Amino acid sequence: MAGYSPLVREHFEHPRNAGVLDDPDGIGERSNPVCGDRMTVMIRVADGRVTEVRWQTRGCPAAIATSSFASELVRGWTLAQVRELTREAIAEAMGGLPRDKVHCSVLAADALKAAVADFERRQAAGS
Ligand code: FES
């Protein structure tokens, strides 16, 4: 864990919100084509805001830590705010990531945005 900020280490050692959400309102999945790491995120939405997040990530320590951190970060956010989330914002808020690990935070950012898109697709389909 050399080179990782205390917050990254803390989230890797004690991940928050890991697991499965029963009957989620949206599901997003992303994988990193280079390393093969994969994240699935499930969200619950109420009144246009994310109220609950669960995730399952198979990946490196940075991917696990950013999944955990992002799941706490976006709780209470509007869907529009989640759509604007960037991997840089996650990495910066966590006190930075080693340069060769910044790409790992893309899983959390993109999977969350995919979950919001899935929610909106379901809404448009009337489910
Ligand atoms: Fe694969 Fe970090 S090395 S996401």
Side-chain angles (χ1 to χ4, degrees):
M1 295 298 294
Y4 288 104
S5 73
L7 190 56
V8 172
R9 284 202 300 271
E10 214 277 315
H11 272 271
F12 175 63
E13 288 163 7
H14 307 285
R16 277 70 132 180
N17 305 314
V20 174
L21 199 57
D22 286 336
D23 197 21
D25 295 319
I27 301 174
E29 288 182 306
R30 281 295 179 270
S31 61
N32 183 323
V34 178
C35 62
D37 290 350
R38 166 174 292 277
M39 177 183 192
T40 302
V41 63
M42 293 138 271
I43 60 171
R44 179 109 49 231
V45 178
D47 298 328
R49 290 182 183 272
V50 175
T51 57
E52 220 176 329
V53 182
R54 291 284 184 279
W55 55 270
Q56 294 184 305
T57 297
R58 193 200 66 210
C60 69
I64 302 288
T66 52
S67 298
S68 169
F69 181 78
S71 73
E72 288 204 315
L73 183 70
V74 303
R75 203 167 41 212
W77 281 20
T78 65
L79 302 181
Q81 287 175 304
V82 176
R83 277 196 297 271
E84 300 290 313
L85 182 64
T86 64
R87 65 179 178 180
E88 291 83 4
I90 295 174
E92 201 174 301
M94 296 192 78
L97 287 169
R99 194 196 313 233
D100 63 340
K101 288 291 178 182
V102 174
H103 74 275
C104 307
S105 55
V106 80
L107 281 183
D110 283 2
L112 277 163
K113 286 190 264 196
V116 166
D118 181 49
F119 168 75
E120 289 172 332
R121 254 192 316 272
R122 293 179 190 207
Q123 291 293 106
S127 63

